Amino acid sequence: MNILKRDAGDFSLKDLRVIFEGPVALKFSADSVERVQKARKTVTDLIERDETAYGINTGFGLLANTRIPSGDVEKLQENLVLSHATGTGEPLEDRVVRLVLALKVSSLAQGHSGVRQSTIDALMALLAHEVYPLIPAKGSVGASGDLAPLAHMAAVLLGVGEVRHAGIVMSATDGLAIAGLTPMKLAAKEGLALLNGTQVSTALALKGLFLLENLFASAVVAGALSVDALKGSDVPFDPRIQAVRRHKGQIDAAAAYRALLAGSDIRHSHEECDKVQDPYSLRCQPQVMGAALTLLRQAANTLLVEANAVTDNPLIFPSEGDILSGGNFHAEPVAMAADMLALVGCEIASISERRTSLLVDPHMSGLPAFLVKEGGLNSGFMIAQVTAAALVSENKTYAHPASVDSIPTSAGQEDHVSMATFAARRLGDIAGNGAAVVGIELIAAAQGVEYRRPLRSSAKLETVMSAIREKVEPYTKDRYFAPDIAHARALVEEGVFNHLAAEVLPSCEVS
């Protein structure tokens, strides 16, 4: 298990990817404990003075003007958690819940939420012991934060609901015992601090970001392999072309293609051919993938800020003794970032499918029709390309921006919402479809390169060929094709080729 020692609110994208990819324990600096204690004292001092503050001794939403007697303050927090646990649908994956827990802990530990240190410690224990609350995926509109899903997380601390540990679903009380905990009572402000926040939306968007980084790297590799399979030109990747366009994403993407194709014997074999230009899906890869990379980076920056943010309400400022009610729970930045990522996923898959279409068309490729000999008797990649087309079309429906939608809730008190949770959640479907599309291109391009033998591709692309052939045999005659596509999709989803584009990916490092 990885142990991340950080100050609260100081995660890097690499840290967040580590949390997403495997079990982790968190250790924050001693300063965070002091900050938490000061914020907690601000809350208790307010209660002792019998002053009023939203969510501490008032109702919620439309009921914010209802004062709660001091004797009912703890009951208020319990009622809030239980009444708000209204989620539906399949539970979130453990890797997403792991991010949710880490992000919530980091937010609370910054000392602006007014919770006790023991409450933070309990969440950290769940994380360290791999006890993951079962959080239904649906039921949040992304303001006031992710109320319903985070209520399911918080309910586990009360001994209510279910958790998953080592793949086994069990009661919350059994899960607490594994983490060395017993059901707890929430103190004033704690229920609201646990429920308010954008951690679920942000965790889902980070999942989308990481999956789309895998997709981007694999698509660059597949595109370079297709250039060789189709005897395309590397002139469109010349740095001078990119320099006058000035977009850094395009410049960096073109550099990745040049590095992949450098030293290819296939390219050298047709340097003097009379073909003037390649189709756009080959020639304009730096422009399309560069634009995708720019949006990936922009979304990554937004999500990194949000992952380290304090997003509950009201917020405690101990130095001034102030408790301020605002709107940091509104997840509009996450929703817009997720909408950008949806465009990225759609366009990566779209241009990949167009290259597969070129590969299977003998008039465009100069290769056997549908990349198989004895065409007619064998259909080869004919319907694999149809599958790719179907998935690209499906992704177009997912790409409708979620952030432009809003529906009033809480009797009109919460009259504009972000829809960030759905905006982020659908990225998993987009990335999954894209992984299948790019996987199909990978095996089609590998097939095309083998038709160019004895010529060899570049050293880097030959390692790609080997990785593909470890999972998928050459297609010599028709066979049950679905397992081949599943294996190729797995190469994409597992980030097997990320190291070949690591220099440009926001959360990856060069190995």
Side-chain angles (χ1 to χ4, degrees):
M1 174 183 291
N2 283 296
I3 299 177
L4 288 180
K5 297 180 180 179
R6 299 288 184 273
D7 196 9
D10 196 30
F11 288 132
S12 67
L13 277 173
K14 183 184 178 185
D15 293 335
L16 296 168
R17 194 181 249 274
V18 167
I19 295 167
F20 177 67
E21 292 180 344
V24 68
L26 296 179
K27 289 190 176 180
F28 293 136
S29 68
D31 291 344
S32 73
V33 176
E34 183 179 353
R35 291 194 299 265
V36 168
Q37 291 172 343
K38 288 180 178 179
R40 183 64 200 164
K41 188 175 185 304
T42 304
V43 173
T44 57
D45 286 351
L46 177 137
I47 295 172
E48 289 175 2
R49 294 193 303 267
D50 199 31
E51 296 178 7
T52 301
Y54 172 72
I56 296 175
N57 48 19
T58 73
F60 307 100
L62 189 67
L63 305 176
N65 293 322
T66 302
R67 176 68 185 264
I68 306 299
S70 58
D72 291 333
V73 166
E74 289 187 359
K75 185 63 176 177
L76 173 69
Q77 303 303 310
E78 178 185 348
N79 287 350
L80 174 70
V81 172
L82 298 178
S83 67
H84 283 48
T86 59
T88 187
E90 293 299 312
L92 297 175
E93 303 169 272
D94 288 351
R95 58 185 180 172
V96 173
V97 176
R98 193 161 50 237
L99 273 172
V100 171
L101 288 170
L103 297 182
K104 177 55 78 173
V105 164
S106 177
S107 178
L108 298 177
Q110 292 181 56
H112 294 288
S113 302
V115 302
R116 297 167 295 172
Q117 184 63 42
S118 58
T119 302
I120 297 174
D121 290 342
L123 292 174
M124 293 176 75
L126 294 179
L127 185 64
H129 288 85
E130 302 174 53
V131 177
Y132 303 122
L134 241 57
I135 300 176
K138 300 180 181 182
S140 174
V141 295
S144 300
D146 295 311
L147 293 172
L150 287 173
H152 286 273
M153 178 201 74
V156 168
L157 297 178
L158 308 180
V160 177
E162 294 180 313
V163 301
R164 188 161 44 213
H165 173 70
I168 299 171
V169 174
M170 61 187 71
S171 69
T173 52
D174 288 344
L176 289 173
I178 291 172
L181 303 170
T182 57
M184 63 187 293
K185 287 186 177 296
L186 297 177
K189 177 68 167 65
E190 290 190 316
L192 188 57
L194 289 166
L195 268 59
N196 250 196
T198 64
Q199 286 79 28
V200 173
S201 295
T202 305
L204 285 165
L206 285 167
K207 170 192 170 182
L209 171 69
F210 300 146
L211 295 182
L212 289 169
E213 284 185 327
N214 296 350
L215 182 67
F216 178 91
S218 298
V220 170
V221 168
L225 199 62
S226 289
V227 169
D228 259 3
L230 292 160
K231 287 192 171 181
S233 173
D234 60 359
V235 170
F237 309 130
D238 189 294
R240 292 168 293 181
I241 296 174
Q242 327 313 321
V244 297
R245 187 74 181 273
R246 301 189 182 208
H247 290 294
K248 189 175 188 314
Q250 177 179 329
I251 290 167
D252 292 345
Y257 286 105
R258 290 196 304 275
L260 287 167
L261 288 161
S264 168
D265 291 337
I266 297 175
R267 172 61 187 128
H268 295 322
S269 73
H270 61 92
E271 285 178 330
E272 304 302 325
C273 70
D274 56 4
K275 185 164 64 171
V276 177
Q277 290 183 330
D278 294 320
Y280 288 179
S281 59
L282 294 181
R283 184 170 22 128
C284 297
Q285 289 185 83
Q287 289 75 21
V288 175
M289 297 299 284
L293 180 58
T294 295
L295 288 188
L296 267 180
R297 288 169 170 170
Q298 185 175 342
N301 287 337
T302 296
L303 296 178
L304 179 60
V305 170
E306 191 74 9
N308 286 309
V310 180
T311 57
D312 59 292
N313 184 64
L315 295 175
I316 316 298
F317 296 91
S319 297
E320 300 85 4
D322 289 337
I323 300 177
L324 305 181
S325 184
N328 279 3
F329 51 71
H330 200 297
E332 195 77 4
V334 180
M336 289 187 174
D339 282 343
M340 289 194 300
L341 289 173
L343 297 178
V344 169
C346 287
E347 284 299 273
I348 290 173
S350 177
I351 196 169
S352 171
E353 182 277 329
R354 288 293 80 203
R355 291 190 296 267
T356 297
S357 180
L358 292 177
L359 286 161
V360 301
D361 183 345
H363 303 292
M364 298 298 293
S365 68
L367 299 168
F370 304 108
L371 299 171
V372 69
K373 294 180 179 179
E374 297 186 73
L377 175 63
N378 294 305
S379 295
F381 281 69
M382 179 188 296
I383 306 304
Q385 185 267 327
V386 172
T387 295
L391 296 175
V392 166
S393 188
E394 182 176 306
N395 271 358
K396 294 173 186 177
T397 65
Y398 285 129
H400 183 279
S403 61
V404 301
D405 186 28
S406 180
I407 186 168
T409 61
S410 193
Q413 175 74 6
E414 298 158 6
D415 59 349
H416 182 278
V417 298
S418 70
M419 295 300 176
T421 323
F422 169 69
R425 178 164 47 82
R426 51 80 194 260
L427 295 176
D429 292 315
I430 291 173
N433 287 344
V437 172
V438 172
I440 288 169
E441 184 191 359
L442 281 167
I443 54 177
Q447 188 83 355
V449 166
E450 287 178 337
Y451 279 120
R452 306 300 185 190
R453 298 298 192 214
L455 295 172
R456 309 283 291 177
S457 186
S458 69
K460 288 184 176 180
L461 291 179
E462 287 296 338
T463 67
V464 172
M465 291 287 296
S466 296
I468 294 170
R469 287 296 172 238
E470 284 179 9
K471 300 294 183 180
V472 179
E473 295 181 357
Y475 199 101
T476 57
K477 60 182 179 180
D478 282 349
R479 61 175 185 250
Y480 186 47
F481 208 166
D484 294 348
I485 295 172
H487 287 311
R489 173 176 175 164
L491 291 173
V492 177
E493 292 182 323
E494 293 167 9
V496 170
F497 303 120
N498 283 14
H499 66 286
L500 295 171
E503 290 183 350
V504 302
L505 296 179
S507 73
C508 294
E509 287 190 344
V510 180
S511 57

